[in-house]
Amino acid sequence: MKKALKQTIVFGLTACLTTLMVVGSGHIGQAQPASIPEFVKPCIPSRVRPPIVRTELIAQASSKEKTYFLLYTFHPDEAGGTDLVISVVGPQCREEFYNAPGDAVSLTQIVERKVANQLALGRYQNEMRRLGRAKVQANVNRVIAAQGLFYPEDLWALRQLGFKLPANTQMSQ
């Protein structure tokens, strides 16, 4: 029961933080998203409901022979993007993870920790470009104030970027 409640809290707060970061400032159009490489596009799901209406490249990281791409996919009538992780080895791409809209999953459940850290770092760098550092810090503070938990890769990325995190900030397992 405790684990289910903890997962629900993490899910809700992570989804809230992601949505706040994506739409929070009303300045979504300010940052020019990087273009998605042509060799990644065949792995973007085309037969999903609701349909994907827009996709943005958020971050990429490499490990050994694979390159991983973190994309946000947007569906009609949804404020925030959902995560899509695609890996590429040579000319082949593969969908590693595509979560349901509003669902939140630690990247460490999908890829190795080093890659998850780099993708999370790219996610927060993207949000800082899009919203500005002060707005991202305010969103992080909101999650902390709600006694939110952060995934390990998010805490690592926030610390790398020098965000202020109180000592009692908790990490989700």
Side-chain angles (χ1 to χ4, degrees):
M1 179 67 179
K2 280 186 178 182
K3 185 175 181 178
L5 179 60
K6 186 176 180 181
Q7 287 176 332
T8 301
I9 291 170
V10 169
F11 157 72
L13 292 171
T14 303
C16 177
L17 178 61
T18 300
T19 300
L20 285 169
M21 288 191 304
V22 172
V23 299
S25 74
H27 300 296
I28 288 177
Q30 284 186 348
Q32 181 70 305
S35 62
I36 299 169
E38 289 301 317
F39 54 85
V40 172
K41 290 180 181 179
C43 285
I44 297 173
S46 59
R47 296 182 179 171
V48 294
R49 294 282 178 242
I52 296 171
V53 295
R54 189 173 91 238
T55 307
E56 289 181 15
L57 175 62
I58 302 303
Q60 72 181 63
S62 295
S63 175
K64 299 174 186 151
E65 74 282 351
K66 282 188 182 181
T67 301
Y68 296 88
F69 296 85
L70 172 63
L71 300 101
Y72 281 159
T73 61
F74 295 87
H75 303 273
D77 303 323
E78 291 181 5
T82 59
D83 288 349
L84 169 62
V85 177
I86 294 175
S87 66
V88 175
V89 177
Q92 298 292 330
C93 68
R94 178 177 168 214
E95 179 186 313
E96 296 287 339
F97 175 74
Y98 180 58
N99 68 331
D103 196 7
V105 175
S106 172
L107 292 172
T108 59
Q109 293 180 2
I110 303 154
V111 296
E112 64 184 83
R113 179 72 172 260
K114 176 183 154 196
V115 171
N117 287 348
Q118 292 303 313
L119 293 176
L121 181 64
R123 179 194 319 260
Y124 285 103
Q125 288 170 330
N126 181 330
E127 299 309 324
M128 286 172 39
R129 281 190 300 274
R130 188 186 303 247
L131 302 174
R133 183 178 188 85
K135 184 69 174 178
V136 175
Q137 180 70 62
N139 292 340
V140 168
N141 292 346
R142 237 175 272 149
V143 170
I144 292 168
Q147 298 178 344
L149 303 170
F150 286 91
Y151 291 124
E153 67 272 17
D154 292 320
L155 280 178
W156 181 88
L158 290 166
R159 287 181 177 130
Q160 294 302 306
L161 294 168
F163 279 88
K164 296 174 186 168
L165 300 170
N168 65 344
T169 303
Q170 297 181 29
M171 178 171 54
S172 171
Q173 299 303 323

